[in-house]
Amino acid sequence: MASMTEILILHGHLPIEQLDIVTSETAEDEAAVRDLLARGVINDIQLTKARAAQANLPFVELVDYPVDRTAISMVSAAICRRHEVLPIGVINGRITLAMADPGNVLAIDDVRAAARMQVTPVVAERADLLAAIDRNLRADDELSDLTTTLEEENAPADPNLSISDASDDDAPIVRFVNLLVSQAIQDHASDIHIEPAEHDVRVRYRIDGVLHAMQSAPKSIQNGVISRLKIMSDIDIAERRKPQDGRMSVSHGGRQIDLRVATLPTVWGEKVVMRILDNTNTGMDIRDLALLERNFEAYKASYTKPYGMILVTGPTGSGKSTTLYTTLNAVARPEINVITVEDPVEYRMRGVNQVQVNPKAGLTFASALRSILRSDPDVVLLGEIRDHETAQIAIEASLTGHLVLSTLHTNDAPSAVTRLTEMGIEPFLVGSALDCVVAQRLARRLCDRCKAPAEHSVEDLQRLRFGFDPAEGLPLIYQAVGCASCSKTGYRGRLAVHEVMTVTEEIERLAVARASSADIGRAAREQGMLTLREDGWAKVRLGMTSVEEILRVVA
């Protein structure tokens, strides 16, 4: 049997000179292949194709493969997820099984026993296979069955009855809640909305910034579901008249996921919103923020200074926290003291001292900030500047040798200057302390597998102030299409659109003169600042998003 590297050479994935790295066809060959992967000489797809050729089995790409739902129904989701396999069809009385490791005989035996027919294995790339498993083995069907069961049982609307179920993992209410959360994490949702209505309970997921209706449950299970969520979040289940906040952790795919839970009394019962907090955001590189080169250089010049204030502005859900945590990740080093004050602490960061605001105990942003300035910090992150006192202390901290990072709710970067003066901060202090303001919005990223060139007329682009030279012809612009990989939406993931304003001497003079945000914005644009829309158009030209998406998120 040929070694893996010999197969790679035979299929043109490796030059013939690489053959001398292999001394045998066993463990040393596998070690050599892992080394090639680590060095980027080959990629996962090339390795998977080589594995298929070595085992003399077909290779399949599952993104657009017509998967047979009948075949999927023959094998339980638990077996598929445990062995990382997916039944994709039945041919001549044999079940076709996609698998990343064709040598996994235990998986083949389990599928043969479950389906009661012989197995024909085919090889798929692991990431492609896991994505196909998530697409096809959704919790929707099981949720529907559970909903029907709960409705038939006519669960009473007494929240106390669900408490006994809380310790029983097989109880219908518990399974229903677990499936809702699990499916949301699989779908890469950022929020789960559970909304009581007059006759039922609606469940919606926010995916890539857009809400999608996912499930409708009978009204009779409303109190049971909400009580279960309150128990998991350590929230008072007897209190239904006022909003409450809590936090819970779930295990999914071998990793711990935190969820921030908020309840809100409505006329039809308590609405529950769960924010899914993925700690992978805290390990992002500053380049992952998709800043254009000009914006990146301006921003880097600010956060690498030892003191000054950097503000990130935008509406709720515009990625401000991700930008701040990524910046903190770039500046945090063992030799400096980093302290944050947040409400609440969304992501836990190693090596960072994080303080959670507790107004009931008298720990507000202002009092916490006043205390931590006596703890010898080098970098201070404030979750939000909400009032005059917090703003005043933050400004003074930035003027006394601290780097202060915070957020502010304004529509654009120039408005941050006037917002601080409206809070009662002296204009000369704002101009001296403020070093950089970043305004941002989140736009959906086009799916790379299905995006297609869009047709726009010269007149349309000129009306949108797209910023191109008609003499050079129309720029290449892509539009959303939709495929299996992006759930037919045409978009997959999100990217930020930025407006980075460096506070120069000219802008500082305007701040001291109490100039309007329009005057400050005009001066910033003359000095090279790109507006949110201009940054968006640049990312449209790069094929990252669409014209329609930029118009949706930027005025």
Side-chain angles (χ1 to χ4, degrees), residues 8 25 61 85 133 172 239 245 313 323 540 553:
L8 287 163
E25 297 176 5
E61 292 191 39
V85 297
I133 289 172
E239 179 57 72
D245 295 311
T313 76
T323 298
V540 168
V553 299

Side-chain angles (χ1 to χ4, degrees), residues 224-413:
V225 169
I226 292 170
S227 292
R228 171 63 182 165
L229 288 169
K230 284 183 170 183
I231 290 169
M232 293 173 72
S233 311
D234 197 22
I235 292 175
D236 182 4
I237 64 168
E239 179 57 72
R240 300 184 220 167
R241 298 167 299 171
K242 65 181 183 182
Q244 297 186 82
D245 295 311
R247 192 182 183 100
M248 67 181 183
S249 293
V250 297
S251 181
H252 180 82
R255 61 196 178 108
Q256 203 74 6
I257 304 289
D258 291 336
L259 291 94
R260 192 179 76 204
V261 182
T263 67
L264 180 71
T266 70
V267 292
W268 301 117
E270 286 180 283
K271 173 185 168 91
V272 179
V273 177
M274 292 178 277
R275 166 68 57 88
I276 299 171
L277 306 171
D278 192 346
N279 283 318
T280 54
N281 285 342
T282 61
M284 283 177 62
D285 184 80
I286 201 78
R287 284 287 186 181
D288 296 332
L289 295 177
L291 285 156
L292 296 178
E293 196 59 35
R294 183 264 170 203
N295 287 341
F296 174 75
E297 293 300 332
Y299 188 50
K300 185 178 180 181
S302 293
Y303 74 72
T304 50
K305 290 181 180 178
Y307 53 84
M309 177 183 277
I310 298 174
L311 292 178
V312 182
T313 76
T316 303
S318 59
K320 299 189 297 297
S321 294
T322 299
T323 298
L324 285 179
Y325 278 112
T326 305
T327 307
L328 211 57
N329 198 44
V331 301
R333 301 185 303 278
E335 60 268 25
I336 68 171
N337 182 19
V338 181
I339 305 180
T340 75
V341 186
E342 305 167 66
D343 182 22
V345 174
E346 292 193 356
Y347 304 107
R348 268 69 167 176
M349 287 190 75
R350 185 173 297 176
V352 175
N353 306 285
Q354 295 176 278
V355 178
Q356 176 145 332
V357 168
N358 186 354
K360 290 181 181 177
L363 186 64
T364 62
F365 274 112
S367 62
L369 182 55
R370 197 180 298 109
S371 299
I372 67 174
L373 289 177
R374 295 193 290 270
S375 302
D376 186 32
D378 297 292
V379 179
V380 177
L381 185 148
L382 268 177
E384 185 183 345
I385 293 177
R386 297 178 179 174
D387 52 46
H388 167 77
E389 189 180 5
T390 308
Q392 186 72 38
I393 301 169
I395 290 279
E396 290 171 358
S398 66
L399 290 171
T400 53
H402 304 90
L403 179 64
V404 179
L405 308 173
S406 189
T407 68
L408 202 63
H409 286 284
T410 63
N411 288 326
D412 56 17

